[in-house]
Amino acid sequence: MPQTFQQSVIAEFRANGGRVGGPFEGFDLLLLTTTGARSGKQHTTPLGYVRDGRRLLVVASNLGSPLHPDWYRNLLAHPAVRVELGDEEFESLAVPAEGARRDELFTRVVAEAPGYAEYQDATDRVLPVVVLELPDPDATAPPVASLADKLVEVHTWLRGQLRHVHDETEAHFAARAAHPGTGEVPAPGLGLQIRQRCLAFCQALEFHHTAEDGHMFPAMEDYHPHLLDVFGRLREEHRSIGAVQSALAALLADVAIAEPDRFRGELARMTQELTAHLDYEEEHVLPLLAEVPWPPAAPAPTAPTAS
C-alpha cells in the first residue's frame, strides 16, 4: 500500500470511528501500531482482521509477496502493540500462531476472507497468522489518583506478566515430559507465546527501571536525602535484574527458544530477584508518593510581561 494512500486511510479511519470508504468500504479494518525493529519509531498500518471470540486475527500476507511485511518483523522485535478498532484504542500482545494452531486459524480466516487463500497460493512463504487479544470487558482497574497508585499499577502488571510467562513455561515443560523422546512439543504455538510475552515483559521492565533511575529517583533524593542508601540499593538491584533481562533476551533472540532448560533457570532467577525488588521498593518508596497527584498537574501559565 503506497505511503500516501495508507496515510489517507488512517486519517479517514480515525475521523469516522473506524469506517472507511473506497476499496475498503464494508471491510473489517483495524489500525495496528508497532515499534520499528531497528528504528524504534512508531508505525501505524491499516489491516483487515477476522474476529475469533475474544481474539482478533490478522494475516501477514503482504499481498502474497515472498517477504514478510515490515509490521510483522516489527512485532517480533517488540511484541507490545497498540490497536485501534472502531472508536476504541487499547494495548495488546501480538502472538503469531504456530504449527497446527496456525493452520486452524488460517482456515478460520479464509472462511470469512477467501482472498487470503489466493495470497497463500501466490507464495512459498507460510503466511503468519497473528493473534491480538481483546481487553477483558470485566476487568476493572482500581482508580489511579496518586503516583503511589501509578507505581502499584505498574508493579501489578509486571507481576501478572511474569506469572503468565511462568505458567506458560511450565505448561511447555509438562507437554515435553508427556511425550519423551519424540523431540516434538504438543500444544503448537506455546513457544512463540512464551517468547512474545517474555520479550514484552522484559522491554516494559527495562523502560520502567530507566524512568525510575533517570527521573523519579533523582527527584525524590532531593526531598529525602536521608534515604540515599535506599535509592542506591534500588539502583544496584536494577543493574542486577538488567543482567538477567539480558540473559533472557539472548535466549529469545531467535523466534524459537533454543535452550528451554536454560531459559527456565533464568526465568526462575528473574522471578526471585524481581519479586524481592518490588517488595522492597513498595515498602520504602510508596509512602513517599501517596500525596503526589497523578497525572501530574499541568504547570500554571506564566503571566505575560510588559514590553
Side-chain angles (χ1 to χ4, degrees):
M1 188 184 299
Q3 188 68 23
T4 53
F5 178 62
Q6 178 170 293
Q7 291 305 315
S8 70
V9 172
I10 293 171
E12 186 178 1
F13 182 104
R14 288 172 173 166
N16 297 286
R19 293 185 299 277
V20 176
F24 296 112
E25 186 170 3
F27 282 81
D28 289 328
L29 205 67
L30 59 77
L31 301 183
L32 182 71
T33 299
T34 59
T35 302
R38 295 182 180 178
S39 69
K41 296 179 180 179
Q42 301 292 292
H43 299 276
T44 300
T45 308
L47 295 173
Y49 71 90
V50 168
R51 188 182 289 265
D52 184 41
R54 296 298 308 159
R55 302 175 298 188
L56 304 175
L57 309 178
V58 294
V59 180
S61 67
N62 210 10
L63 302 178
S65 164
L67 299 176
H68 291 315
D70 289 342
W71 62 262
Y72 180 73
R73 291 194 291 269
N74 288 347
L75 65 81
L76 287 178
H78 300 280
V81 299
R82 189 171 73 250
V83 178
E84 294 171 64
L85 186 67
D87 56 4
E88 293 182 82
E89 184 173 346
F90 54 90
E91 303 297 319
S92 187
L93 183 71
V95 180
E98 292 179 284
R101 182 166 178 260
R102 177 265 168 205
D103 297 341
E104 175 188 342
L105 294 179
F106 188 71
T107 300
R108 167 84 178 86
V109 169
V110 169
E112 288 200 22
Y116 286 109
E118 297 177 14
Y119 293 145
Q120 183 62 86
D121 290 342
T123 180
D124 293 332
R125 176 174 63 93
V126 176
L127 302 185
V129 179
V130 179
V131 178
L132 305 169
E133 292 191 357
L134 291 162
D136 183 354
D138 298 324
T140 55
V144 174
S146 70
L147 189 51
D149 296 336
K150 186 63 182 177
L151 188 65
V152 169
E153 180 184 70
V154 172
H155 284 189
T156 299
W157 186 89
L158 290 171
R159 286 187 176 101
Q161 292 303 305
L162 191 56
R163 203 158 45 241
H164 281 308
V165 174
H166 180 271
D167 291 345
E168 289 165 3
T169 301
E170 290 309 307
H172 177 81
F173 275 88
R176 282 162 50 107
H179 295 75
T182 64
E184 298 179 358
V185 178
L190 194 56
L192 261 177
Q193 185 171 326
I194 293 171
R195 177 192 185 275
Q196 294 295 93
R197 192 181 296 279
C198 189
L199 195 57
F201 161 80
C202 285
Q203 289 168 353
L205 180 62
E206 182 179 9
F207 178 83
H208 174 59
H209 283 173
T210 299
E212 287 187 328
D213 289 343
H215 302 286
M216 191 172 82
F217 289 172
M220 294 180 70
E221 284 172 331
D222 290 341
Y223 290 97
H224 305 282
H226 59 289
L227 294 177
L228 288 177
D229 288 347
V230 169
F231 294 116
R233 171 174 165 173
L234 290 172
R235 287 192 179 93
E236 183 59 38
E237 289 177 356
H238 285 178
R239 286 190 285 270
S240 176
I241 292 168
V244 185
Q245 283 177 238
S246 297
L248 284 171
L251 293 172
L252 299 170
D254 295 326
V255 171
I257 298 173
E259 299 179 75
D261 291 299
R262 185 178 163 204
F263 174 83
R264 192 187 201 183
E266 294 293 350
L267 183 62
R269 186 156 67 102
M270 168 66 82
T271 301
Q272 181 179 7
E273 291 196 22
L274 182 62
T275 299
H277 171 75
L278 297 180
D279 290 345
Y280 180 80
E281 183 172 350
E282 289 170 359
E283 177 185 355
H284 292 277
V285 174
L286 278 185
L288 310 179
L289 304 177
E291 302 302 321
V292 181
W294 186 269
T302 56
T305 56
S307 58

